[in-house]
């Protein structure tokens, strides 16, 4: 197929999809489609409430099931009769695989996030957070004003994950930029221009990774890429798998953490008494603020599982090959599990575990690193910028699977 007809095909497909979403959202008031509208981007939690009112497990017009109940999301994510399937737009390595391939590859990545390895990163993370905050306060728009997303929330996870993978400092900005473009596809291709940017970023990352793998074969170092290259040499990793795995780690590492920082700070700014509680005791309250932000406004709003066999669930039959969409954002606001679910309260008893890191075999492998990064970020932010306040228009990303901010102008003075 020529490039021209490919482009026309893509543009037509996107236009048809957009028209279908509009019809379902505005005429049929179908909740999954409503999530993809402006109203859904502003307040998805009102739509999850609607989903819960419709039942614990409901059928969508496309013949798939949807749940925004904590109990049902949790059960589906842990049930081995459900699995995943590869994403057609983006190869997400073991996140798109079922056991045993999933287990084989996940095992290679896991040691990088173990309690033994992680403490070695604490000092580096503290230093990075400290210097980003210094730069933000000194630079920006003057008078202690800066945009928290590009100045703090985004560069922190990029720096941490490139460090963990062993990407040389000189290249980390380029990996970060292209990785962000590739990661933006987690919410689907939005336009022909988006597809072109994605392809270009993908191609550049491919070249960068190829030369980095080559370098680590020649000159091994104490980093994750060196260990993965060695596993490839021992035939534990099949040809082509290595690159997708490193892609996954790079993208999962920053498309999520950046948005927790933004969502958490915004929730604190919107609830000044909660900011005050954090500011009064940053070391003790930072982890609580992070956990509450993960429940209240998680960066991954939903995921999905495909039935690997017929499964009876909530009195309905989910046939093999049917999908169940598990709305993690909705689970965090389920009144059967959380009192006052729509209130942001960092002092809340956190005994009911949120599902922001998913559950079952795909439970986020980077979770210990993400928590360490986020706790340090929120603690140092409260210690160093106690007068923080919003200082301009806040803009959200126009996405529904990934939830986060594009812009959060603040003043520290
Ligand atoms: C607060 C930040 C983070 C959140 C909220 C988050 C959330 C998630 C979720 C929801 C999943 C599972 C998706 C599903 O079940 O379909 C997942 C999987 C994963 N995450 Fe995270 N993540 C975060 C940070 C990280 C970091 C820092 C890394 C590492 C660099 C990472 C690496 C991964 C990987 C590799 C998987 C795939 C696990 C598997 O399939 O077994 N994540 N994450």
């Amino acid at each position: 197929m020529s490039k021209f007809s490919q482009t026309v095909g893509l543009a037509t497909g996107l236009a048809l999809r957009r028209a279908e979403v509009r019809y379902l959202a505005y005429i049929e008031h179908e909740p999954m489609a409503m999530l993809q509208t402006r109203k859904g981007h502003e307040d998805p939690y009102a739509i999850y409430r609607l989903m819960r009112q419709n039942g614990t497990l409901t059928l969508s017009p496309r013949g798939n099931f949807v749940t925004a109940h904590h109990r049902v999301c949790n059960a589906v994510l842990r049930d081995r009769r459900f699995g995943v399937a590869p994403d057609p737009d983006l190869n997400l390595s073991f996140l798109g695989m079922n056991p045993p391939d999933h287990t084989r590859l996940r095992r290679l990545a896991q040691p990088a996030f173990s309690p033994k390895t992680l403490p070695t990163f604490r000092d580096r993370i503290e230093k990075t957070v400290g210097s980003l905050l210094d730069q933000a306060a000194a630079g920006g728009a003057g008078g202690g004003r800066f945009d928290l997303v590009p100045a703090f929330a985004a560069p922190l996870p990029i720096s941490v994950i490139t460090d963990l993978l062993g990407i040389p400092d000189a290249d980390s900005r380029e990996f970060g930029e292209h990785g962000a473009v590739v990661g933006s596809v987690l919410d689907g291709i939005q336009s022909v221009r988006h597809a072109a940017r994605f392809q270009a970023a993908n191609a550049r990352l491919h070249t960068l990774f190829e030369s980095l793998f080559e370098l680590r074969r020649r000159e091994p170092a104490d980093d994750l890429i060196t260990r993965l290259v060695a596993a490839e040499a021992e035939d534990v990793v099949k040809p082509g798998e290595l690159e997708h795995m490193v892609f996954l780690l790079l993208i999962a590492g920053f498309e999520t953490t950046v948005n927790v920082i933004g969502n958490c700070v915004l929730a604190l700014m919107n609830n000044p008494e909660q900011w005050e509680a954090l500011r009064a005791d940053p070391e003790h309250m930072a982890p609580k603020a992070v956990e509450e932000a993960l429940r209240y406004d998680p960066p991954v709003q939903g995921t999905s599982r495909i039935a690997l066999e017929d499964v009876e669930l909530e009195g309905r039959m989910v046939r093999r090959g049917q999908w169940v969409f598990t709305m993690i954002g909705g689970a965090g606001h389920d009144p059967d599990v959380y009192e006052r679910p729509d209130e942001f309260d960092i002092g809340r008893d956190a005994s009911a575990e949120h599902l922001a890191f998913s559950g079952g075999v795909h439970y986020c492998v980077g979770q210990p690193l993400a928590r360490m990064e986020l706790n340090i970020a929120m603690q140092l932010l409260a210690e160093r910028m106690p007068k923080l306040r919003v200082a301009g228009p806040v803009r959200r990303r126009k996405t529904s699977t990934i939830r986060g901010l594009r812009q959060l102008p603040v003043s520290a003075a």
Side-chain angles (χ1 to χ4, degrees), residues 1-233:
M1 212 195 307
S2 75
K3 199 159 180 204
F4 175 72
S5 48
Q6 263 179 8
T7 308
V8 171
L10 177 64
T12 313
L14 287 169
L16 286 174
R17 202 179 71 193
R18 220 164 282 141
E20 186 194 20
V21 166
R22 288 213 180 105
Y23 170 78
L24 289 172
Y26 297 114
I27 310 289
E28 300 282 330
H29 301 292
E30 198 282 309
M32 282 301 275
M34 285 163 74
L35 284 174
Q36 296 173 55
T37 64
R38 204 169 69 177
K39 216 168 139 193
H41 297 153
E42 273 163 20
D43 184 10
Y45 303 102
I47 297 170
Y48 300 137
R49 202 176 308 131
L50 191 71
M51 286 179 177
R52 282 193 303 271
Q53 281 161 8
N54 290 345
T56 53
L57 188 70
T58 51
L59 197 59
S60 81
R62 285 193 180 150
N64 298 310
F65 287 95
V66 184
T67 177
H69 280 255
H70 189 286
R71 176 178 54 78
V72 185
C73 286
N74 201 18
V76 170
L77 292 171
R78 286 165 199 271
D79 191 329
R80 297 292 277 268
R81 293 172 299 171
F82 289 99
V84 294
D87 184 318
D89 291 329
L90 192 59
N91 187 326
L92 288 172
S93 179
F94 58 92
L95 182 54
M97 294 176 184
N98 296 314
D101 281 336
H102 168 265
T103 325
R104 172 174 58 85
L105 293 180
R106 183 175 164 119
R107 261 195 208 132
L108 290 175
Q110 190 127 36
F113 305 96
S114 75
K116 222 174 83 197
T117 318
L118 275 187
T120 58
F121 281 94
R122 173 168 284 279
D123 274 358
R124 263 129 80 189
I125 297 176
E126 279 173 356
K127 278 202 192 90
T128 308
V129 170
S131 76
L132 286 171
L133 289 176
D134 287 346
Q135 283 166 34
R145 287 161 74 110
F146 61 96
D147 185 340
L148 188 113
V149 178
F152 183 54
L156 173 63
I158 290 177
S159 151
V160 173
I161 190 64
T162 50
D163 194 11
L164 181 123
L165 287 170
I167 291 170
D169 282 350
D171 297 335
S172 81
R173 202 178 53 87
E174 203 182 352
F175 272 96
E177 274 171 22
H178 297 309
V181 175
V182 173
S184 68
V185 170
L186 288 175
D187 243 285
I189 303 252
Q190 306 298 326
S191 63
V192 172
R193 220 172 120 222
H194 189 204
R197 285 181 60 219
F198 166 60
Q199 270 170 8
N202 226 346
R204 184 68 191 129
L205 275 181
H206 172 74
T207 314
L208 286 168
F209 275 130
E210 282 288 292
S211 55
L212 184 54
F213 295 159
E214 212 29 68
L215 175 72
R216 291 301 175 234
R217 281 185 199 110
R218 273 198 326 268
E219 294 172 25
D222 182 19
D223 59 42
L224 185 56
I225 288 187
T226 301
R227 284 193 290 283
L228 295 176
V229 166
E232 190 187 41

Side-chain angles (χ1 to χ4, degrees), residues 95 102 106 161 249 252 256 260 299 303 305 356 358 361-362 364-365:
L95 182 54
H102 168 265
R106 183 175 164 119
I161 190 64
L249 292 167
T256 47
V260 185
T303 182
R305 292 293 183 266
S358 188
V361 297
H362 293 280
C364 176
V365 79

